[in-house]
Amino acid sequence: MANTFDNILEIKELNVNLEKKDRTIGALKGINLAIKKGERVALVGESGSGKTMLSLSILKLLEPPLKIESGEIVFKGRDLLKLKEKDIEKIRGKEISMIFQEPLTALNPVLTIGFQVAEPFLIHQNISKKEAFENAERLLKMVSIRDVKRVMKSYPHQLSGGMRQRAMIAMALALNPDLLLADEPTTALDVTLQSQFLDLLKNLQKKFSLSLLIITHDFGVVAEIAERVVVLYGGMVFEEAGVENLFDNPLQPYTKSLLSSIPKRGTRGRLKTIRGQVPPLEKFGSGCPFKDRCDFALDECSKSLPPLKERESGHKVACFLYGV
Ligand SMILES: Nc1ncnc2c1ncn2[C@@H]1O[C@H](COP(=O)(O)OP(=O)(O)OP(=O)(O)O)[C@@H](O)[C@H]1O
Ligand SMILES: [Mg+2]
């Protein structure tokens, strides 16, 4: 087991609630997740499993009716949940940055790419506009954009999806963050561009010893980039393992179904659906959130949440099939 101090981020027993007028519904349930310095971790799960909610919690960007109920989010030794908004603002975009799923919505349509990539420098650093624009050019070159001069002057809609996505990484890396959260960063790209983008992301991650949390539905993406995988379902961590281990020896029936729905290890492609659907939050009821879709459900699966336990070195699973 890694020493706690190796972890750049450590989420402990995080509970997030959805607060409705008449009742409170558990949205994230006792999440434990750690990322080591320089490590690439993938967070996978079907649509609605809570992936975005978890990444927004890390940046303290959740809005009502969602509320962080309890837990700790320790980043470089400090619990982010205890910090004041003004201190979080210093961390957000600077020490922890995020790439969003659809770059068109995350980029401002009326500002040039050059200005948007230069903006973090203008906001966080006391440097001239000229220097900020020079930095922006340097960053755009770094993300393998060749015609930098043209891209600098372009507005988001004048660029292809792949170019916009590169501009997004440039912005995210502007201030040398320690941790990069990337929420489905490749969904807007076609398969060839996805591969190029992942190569680029991996190279930059290595170059800057970034810690990376990449959120995806796609096991092809996982195979290409992740060292460790965390499987989320119904707002809880179902399984966590090194990438080889997860592909070769999945333990949770949910992970098994996810993996058996792709043709072959490492093959690209979206997950086919598993029997039944991800229910809305209020329909999970008590017990294991997967019980109604699981072929192996036991009596206790309806009674309480299965605890996440380490079954082999570095391989954790939450499932009553493996005892309590
Ligand atoms: N503001 C909100 N109010 C009510 N329910 C919400 C809110 N935000 C998210 N949810 C619900 O919480 C659950 C988890 O949502 P989340 O967006 O985290 O899923 P996800 O894993 O990121 O899915 P996707 O792969 O589609 O992006 C879903 O059931 C979603 O409908
Ligand atoms: Mg999402």
Side-chain angles (χ1 to χ4, degrees):
M1 279 297 284
N3 186 310
T4 334
F5 299 113
D6 296 338
N7 293 328
I8 190 121
L9 183 80
E10 204 170 338
I11 301 175
K12 297 181 195 168
E13 288 299 322
L14 178 72
N15 289 296
V16 169
N17 286 342
L18 172 65
E19 298 193 330
K20 294 213 161 185
K21 268 195 206 114
D22 51 341
R23 65 200 168 116
T24 296
I25 299 155
L28 293 180
K29 299 155 194 157
I31 301 278
N32 288 299
L33 192 168
I35 302 176
K36 287 188 220 111
K37 190 168 163 28
E39 191 182 27
R40 299 185 302 275
V41 177
L43 185 62
V44 290
E46 287 166 288
S47 188
S49 53
K51 305 182 296 294
T52 297
M53 209 183 268
L54 181 56
S55 60
L56 294 177
S57 307
I58 297 170
L59 290 169
K60 279 183 93 176
L61 286 173
L62 282 183
E63 286 176 358
L66 295 167
K67 183 169 174 272
I68 293 179
E69 179 58 30
S70 57
E72 289 176 31
I73 299 181
V74 181
F75 173 68
K76 296 206 291 188
R78 288 192 295 176
D79 184 359
L80 299 181
L81 300 183
K82 294 209 176 85
L83 295 186
K84 298 202 177 73
E85 177 59 24
K86 89 173 172 3
D87 294 320
I88 288 286
E89 277 168 12
K90 287 185 200 143
I91 290 175
R92 218 184 266 145
K94 200 172 171 196
E95 296 179 55
I96 305 177
S97 59
M98 182 149 179
I99 305 180
F100 294 90
Q101 181 168 349
E102 179 29 75
L104 257 194
T105 54
L107 290 167
N108 189 329
V110 300
L111 298 175
T112 62
I113 294 291
F115 183 82
Q116 295 187 63
V117 180
E119 204 176 21
F121 298 108
L122 293 168
I123 294 173
H124 289 280
Q125 289 178 357
N126 191 18
I127 61 172
S128 70
K129 209 169 161 192
K130 182 165 172 282
E131 282 173 293
F133 274 78
E134 282 164 8
N135 284 345
E137 274 192 34
R138 177 181 52 77
L139 280 167
L140 289 173
K141 279 192 196 121
M142 189 179 78
V143 296
S144 307
I145 290 180
R146 259 166 269 147
D147 44 353
V148 169
K149 296 274 187 236
R150 176 183 72 86
V151 171
M152 288 283 288
K153 290 194 195 111
S154 303
Y155 291 89
H157 71 273
Q158 296 172 313
L159 298 179
S160 67
M163 281 297 205
R164 284 197 288 264
Q165 203 55 295
R166 280 163 195 257
M168 290 286 297
I169 319 193
M171 285 164 69
L173 297 184
L175 302 169
N176 283 325
D178 300 292
L179 174 65
L180 179 63
L181 309 174
D183 192 352
E184 308 268 6
T186 59
T187 19
L189 308 177
D190 67 38
V191 170
T192 327
L193 282 178
Q194 275 196 17
S195 236
Q196 285 176 13
F197 178 86
L198 291 173
D199 279 347
L200 173 69
L201 190 59
K202 202 163 155 182
N203 286 337
L204 294 170
Q205 178 272 334
K206 285 189 179 152
K207 186 166 166 192
F208 297 108
S209 329
L210 269 175
S211 308
L212 176 68
L213 182 67
I214 187 163
I215 296 176
T216 181
H217 296 83
D218 186 336
F219 274 109
V221 172
V222 174
E224 267 184 62
I225 203 159
E227 296 164 290
R228 202 153 53 82
V229 190
V230 174
V231 180
L232 203 67
Y233 183 75
M236 60 179 276
V237 175
F238 260 19
E239 186 154 4
E240 184 193 316
V243 68
E244 298 282 323
N245 218 341
L246 191 96
F247 280 119
D248 293 344
N249 183 28
L251 297 176
Q252 227 305 336
Y254 178 66
T255 319
K256 288 183 186 177
S257 328
L258 281 182
L259 283 167
S260 65
S261 66
I262 53 171
K264 170 164 139 259
R265 180 181 153 183
T267 315
R268 251 182 195 292
R270 296 227 134 206
L271 304 176
K272 288 188 208 117
T273 40
I274 304 175
R275 174 170 69 83
Q277 283 176 342
V278 184
L281 286 181
E282 56 271 30
K283 293 278 161 60
F284 277 115
S286 58
C288 174
F290 191 56
K291 60 183 185 299
D292 297 329
R293 301 172 76 195
C294 181
D295 293 330
F296 309 95
L298 310 167
D299 282 349
E300 51 260 62
C301 304
S302 303
K303 292 176 189 146
S304 57
L305 292 180
L308 184 69
K309 288 269 172 78
E310 187 155 13
R311 297 295 163 191
E312 296 159 27
S313 171
H315 194 154
K316 295 179 190 170
V317 61
C319 181
F320 288 118
L321 288 176
Y322 301 92
V324 187

